[in-house]
Amino acid sequence: MASQKGFPSSALRVLEEALGVGSTAAGDTAEAVAAEGAYYLEQVTITEASEDDYEYEEIPDDNYSIPEGEEDLAKAVQMVQEQATDTQILEQKTVLSSKHAVPEAIEDFLCNFLIKMGMTRTLDCFQSEWYELIQKGVTELRGGGHVPDVYTQNMLLENENKILKKELKHYKQAADKAREDLLKTQKERDFHRMHHKRTVQEKEKLINDLKGLKLHYASYEPTIRVLYEKHHALLKQKMLTSLERDRAVGQICGLQETLKRMEIGHSFHAPEIRVVPNCEKENAPEGPTQKGLREAREQSKCKTKMKVNTKDSVFPTDMQPNPNLCLCKENICPAKFDYKLNNIFRLHELPVSCIIMHPCKDILISCGEDRIWKVVGLPKGNVLLTGLGHTDWLSDCCFHPSGNKLATSSGDTTVKLWDLSKGNCILTFEGHTHAVWSCTWHSCGDFVASSSLDTTSKIWDVNSERCRCTLYGHTDSVNSIEFFPCSNILLTGSADKSLSAWDARTGKCEQSLYGHMHSINDATFTPRGHMIASCDACGVTKLWDFRKLLPIVSIDVGPSPGNEVNFDSSGQVLAQASGNGVIHLLDLKSGQIHKLMGHESEAHTVVFSHDGETLFSGDSDGTIRTWS
């Protein structure tokens, strides 16, 4: 060692040049020494001492124990408190601040390095010379310096490098997995692109086919228009022919009467009219076909005479007040909504299309698509009367105000009137060209109105047995018709999404109501007549103020269609029969909607009893359900 102060730096330089890796190992040793403090190695020879020469000292017992019988309560309590205090201190887990890491000294670093390398002789020489200098009093070498922090930093950086390598490996694995996911996503994207292109091609093909079908349909429109005009021309020609036929039949009847009078002896001069120009046909014998035609002419002649002699009914001008106004004022009972399924009556083989209550008795009439209507007694549900006469399904029925007659409408384009005392048909109205959807009686009982698929409505005179008026105005099927209570106003609901109010005396449309977005299936008045309820093919029910002709509220219970709506006798509850089999009850005061679940299929019709305690609904399976 050349100098005392220059030794540490020169020794470090030698070690740095000779060992590239030793600095790292030395760093570990330096950290250990810094933590434990500086030390040096000294060779000591330990000899085994004789057991006889060594004297053992007696160690006094410091454990103080309270003699038995001398326990002090106060001391015991103090000991317990001290133990509790110690426990609290331990539970606080006070963390002492770590000591500042002291760098390792140069001499300790060299000693540790030589020991690690196994250079014992060099270590002995270094220690003998080093401590010889210390014994001479040269103490300044103790502050000769410390191992620079760079070695410690090298160790930390090495550990950090290992950690970073592990993280790099982990990130590589994650990147490989992400690459696989990317390839998979790209394949799925390519598949969906191909599927989208195929869908676009199919869409374009369908659009082209649709355009072709439209053109094909447009090419048929002129032909259809020509055929329609020919049809109307043929109808006019048929009407003129029937008039000529009736005139000829009248002339023949007049000739027959003249001949009878001449045979009796009365002289009467009549002009000669030849009906058949061929004399051979006049002298030919009468066959069965000609005989049938002659009888038909005689029957038509008698009917024509009866119709001519029967006068047309007159629409009442001074209408009586609506009796339901007093009933609604007297009925102060709260509305009922807690209906429960009580009974099921199987009356028809096909769906039930209509249910109505008798105006006075506890009986109801049901119409079905099996061409039959039945009178049912309540509450047992026994069939009292069955009516059969229509050749197609029944769509609607309505009681005469007195309750002794019934009007039915059918898909066979006719409206029939029935005598309920005998159960037979007393009159048939023919005039519609398509199915008849609905019918209604006038409050005076002399008129019946019907609505049809042919976009028209007709008013029939029961006394003169003819059509008094045809209502034109709707552009699509007229699905519902009803007379305003005790008045000459008609309400119709059509598939053209509009409601219309008509004057039955003139046949003119007084007002139309628009607001529905789909075909209107049914419309009805409240018992008082101040409000209208209508439902359409998407389950939307609307309430209208009939006095102001404005909408009040719209309730959407769709998407199932609303088939029929009806008010109870108080006008506080509105029932709707829905296509999904649910009966919706609307409280007009609170606006709440209650549901009755019990139908297995589509509910076609719904009606309340007179007291409102029972509700009847018709199902598409041919059954009627009673709720009470």
Side-chain angles (χ1 to χ4, degrees):
M1 300 180 183
S3 62
Q4 296 177 358
K5 295 182 178 180
F7 170 74
S9 60
S10 62
L12 286 174
R13 280 195 300 271
V14 172
L15 290 175
E16 289 174 355
E17 292 174 0
L19 300 172
V21 186
S23 60
T24 305
D28 296 337
T29 310
E31 291 179 1
V33 173
E36 298 177 2
Y39 64 92
Y40 61 89
L41 300 177
E42 182 179 0
Q43 187 174 2
V44 179
T45 303
I46 301 174
T47 59
E48 295 180 0
S50 176
E51 296 179 358
D52 298 336
D53 296 338
Y54 185 77
E55 296 179 0
Y56 294 94
E57 295 181 1
E58 183 177 358
I59 299 175
D61 189 5
D62 294 336
N63 295 332
Y64 176 75
S65 61
I66 301 174
E68 187 176 356
E70 296 181 4
E71 292 86 350
D72 190 359
L73 180 60
K75 291 183 179 180
V77 172
Q78 185 179 0
M79 291 175 64
V80 171
Q81 291 178 352
E82 290 177 355
Q83 291 178 358
T85 305
D86 295 340
T87 304
Q88 291 178 359
I89 292 172
L90 291 174
E91 287 178 354
Q92 290 178 359
K93 298 181 180 180
T94 305
V95 180
L96 299 176
S97 59
S98 60
K99 294 181 180 180
H100 180 68
V102 180
E104 189 177 12
I106 296 295
E107 61 271 19
D108 296 334
F109 173 76
L110 292 173
C111 291
N112 292 331
F113 172 74
L114 294 174
I115 290 171
K116 186 175 181 180
M117 300 301 296
M119 302 169 67
T120 56
R121 288 181 294 174
T122 306
L123 177 64
D124 293 338
C125 294
F126 172 72
Q127 286 182 344
S128 61
E129 188 173 358
W130 179 262
Y131 291 109
E132 184 179 352
L133 292 174
I134 293 174
Q135 289 176 0
K136 288 180 180 181
V138 184
T139 58
E140 295 179 358
L141 294 174
R142 279 292 178 181
H146 302 284
V147 178
D149 292 340
V150 66
Y151 300 101
T152 308
Q153 294 295 329
N154 286 339
M155 291 298 297
L156 295 175
L157 291 173
E158 236 183 60
N159 292 333
E160 189 176 356
N161 190 16
K162 290 179 181 178
I163 295 172
L164 291 175
K165 285 182 178 179
K166 289 181 180 180
E167 291 180 354
L168 178 62
K169 185 177 179 181
H170 177 69
Y171 290 148
K172 284 184 177 179
Q173 293 177 355
D176 294 338
K177 186 177 180 181
R179 189 180 296 107
E180 293 177 358
D181 293 340
L182 178 62
L183 292 174
K184 184 178 179 181
T185 306
Q186 288 177 349
K187 290 180 180 179
E188 292 180 355
R189 180 200 62 189
D190 296 338
F191 171 76
H192 287 301
R193 279 182 178 175
M194 292 177 62
H195 183 68
H196 176 68
K197 290 180 180 178
R198 191 181 301 111
T199 306
V200 170
Q201 291 176 357
E202 292 178 356
K203 177 185 175 183
E204 291 177 353
K205 183 180 178 182
L206 291 174
I207 289 173
N208 293 329
D209 294 341
L210 184 61
K211 290 180 179 178
L213 289 174
K214 285 183 178 179
L215 294 175
H216 187 65
Y217 174 74
S219 64
Y220 278 105
E221 282 187 352
T223 307
I224 294 173
R225 194 179 299 110
V226 171
L227 292 175
Y228 186 75
E229 292 175 355
K230 288 183 178 179
H231 174 68
H232 275 279
L234 290 173
L235 287 177
K236 292 179 180 179
Q237 187 177 357
K238 177 184 176 182
M239 186 180 298
L240 294 174
T241 306
S242 63
L243 292 174
E244 292 178 357
R245 183 197 63 188
D246 294 338
R247 189 182 297 110
V249 170
Q251 292 177 356
I252 292 173
C253 293
L255 289 174
Q256 289 177 352
E257 291 178 359
T258 304
L259 291 174
K260 287 181 180 178
R261 290 176 182 176
M262 291 176 65
E263 289 176 357
I264 292 172
H266 297 282
S267 61
F268 185 80
H269 179 73
E272 183 179 359
I273 299 175
R274 297 181 62 84
V275 179
V276 181
N278 194 353
C279 298
E280 295 179 358
K281 289 184 179 180
E282 290 182 358
N283 300 326
E286 187 179 20
T289 305
Q290 295 175 354
K291 184 178 180 181
L293 290 173
R294 181 175 57 79
E295 292 177 354
R297 290 192 190 100
E298 291 178 356
Q299 290 180 1
S300 64
K301 176 193 68 175
C302 296
K303 288 184 178 180
T304 304
K305 285 185 177 181
M306 290 176 62
K307 290 182 181 179
V308 170
N309 295 330
T310 306
K311 295 182 179 180
D312 290 335
S313 303
V314 179
F315 284 97
T317 55
D318 298 330
M319 299 298 297
Q320 297 179 357
N322 187 0
N324 294 320
L325 295 175
C326 301
L327 293 176
C328 293
K329 291 180 181 179
E330 294 175 358
N331 189 2
I332 57 175
C333 298
K336 181 178 179 180
F337 298 99
D338 55 343
Y339 292 97
K340 294 183 179 180
L341 184 61
N342 186 20
N343 205 345
I344 300 177
F345 305 142
R346 181 167 294 279
L347 301 175
H348 298 275
E349 297 179 357
L350 293 178
V352 179
S353 57
C354 177
I355 300 174
I356 58 171
M357 294 293 300
H358 193 279
C360 304
K361 302 178 182 178
D362 288 335
I363 61 174
L364 62 83
I365 289 187
S366 68
C367 298
E369 295 184 9
D370 54 1
R371 310 175 186 177
I372 300 173
W373 57 266
K374 295 183 178 181
V375 180
V376 182
L378 298 176
K380 296 182 179 180
N382 52 324
V383 179
L384 304 177
L385 185 64
T386 301
L388 180 62
H390 284 285
T391 59
D392 209 336
W393 43 268
L394 298 182
S395 58
D396 194 14
C397 61
C398 184
F399 271 111
H400 188 274
S402 62
N404 56 5
K405 293 179 182 179
L406 180 72
T408 57
S409 58
S410 171
D412 61 5
T413 72
T414 64
V415 177
K416 289 183 180 291
L417 303 185
W418 307 80
D419 185 357
L420 293 180
S421 61
K422 299 179 181 179
N424 57 348
C425 178
I426 57 176
L427 189 58
T428 300
F429 294 121
E430 299 179 355
H432 286 289
T433 58
H434 290 86
V436 183
W437 287 121
S438 181
C439 61
T440 179
W441 280 92
H442 192 280
S443 56
C444 68
D446 294 332
F447 301 96
V448 175
S450 61
S451 62
S452 172
L453 181 64
D454 59 7
T455 72
T456 66
S457 300
K458 291 182 180 294
I459 301 174
W460 309 90
D461 193 330
V462 178
N463 295 323
S464 61
E465 302 178 5
R466 69 184 189 91
C467 177
R468 288 288 298 273
C469 184
T470 302
L471 309 180
Y472 296 96
H474 287 292
T475 59
D476 206 337
S477 171
V478 186
N479 299 328
S480 172
I481 190 167
E482 183 174 341
F483 270 107
F484 184 83
C486 301
S487 75
N488 297 318
I489 298 176
L490 266 174
L491 175 69
T492 57
S494 172
D496 62 7
K497 311 170 190 176
S498 68
L499 296 170
S500 294
W502 308 78
D503 188 343
R505 296 168 296 182
T506 61
K508 293 182 180 180
C509 179
E510 300 295 337
Q511 188 69 36
S512 293
L513 303 176
Y514 300 95
H516 280 281
M517 303 302 294
H518 301 87
S519 171
I520 298 175
N521 290 339
D522 190 33
T524 185
F525 289 102
T526 57
R528 295 176 58 188
H530 67 290
M531 194 184 302
I532 299 172
S534 58
C535 62
D536 64 19
C538 272
V540 177
T541 300
K542 287 184 177 291
L543 296 177
W544 310 78
D545 189 341
F546 187 62
R547 293 168 294 188
K548 299 180 181 179
L549 297 174
L550 293 175
I552 300 175
V553 69
S554 179
I555 304 103
D556 188 356
V557 292
S560 298
N563 293 326
E564 186 175 300
V565 286
N566 259 318
F567 288 95
D568 68 341
S569 58
S570 65
Q572 300 177 8
V573 184
L574 176 67
Q576 183 212 52
S578 180
N580 57 2
V582 179
I583 305 297
H584 296 92
L585 300 179
L586 173 62
D587 187 355
L588 299 185
K589 288 187 176 180
S590 64
Q592 294 182 352
I593 298 176
H594 305 266
K595 294 182 179 180
L596 302 182
M597 313 288 289
H599 282 275
E600 298 179 357
S601 56
E602 186 174 359
H604 284 176
T605 179
V606 63
V607 67
F608 287 94
S609 61
H610 296 300
D611 56 2
E613 294 295 324
T614 310
L615 185 142
F616 304 94
S617 58
D619 198 293
S620 61
D621 60 0
T623 60
I624 292 179
R625 284 165 167 75
T626 62
W627 310 77
S628 59

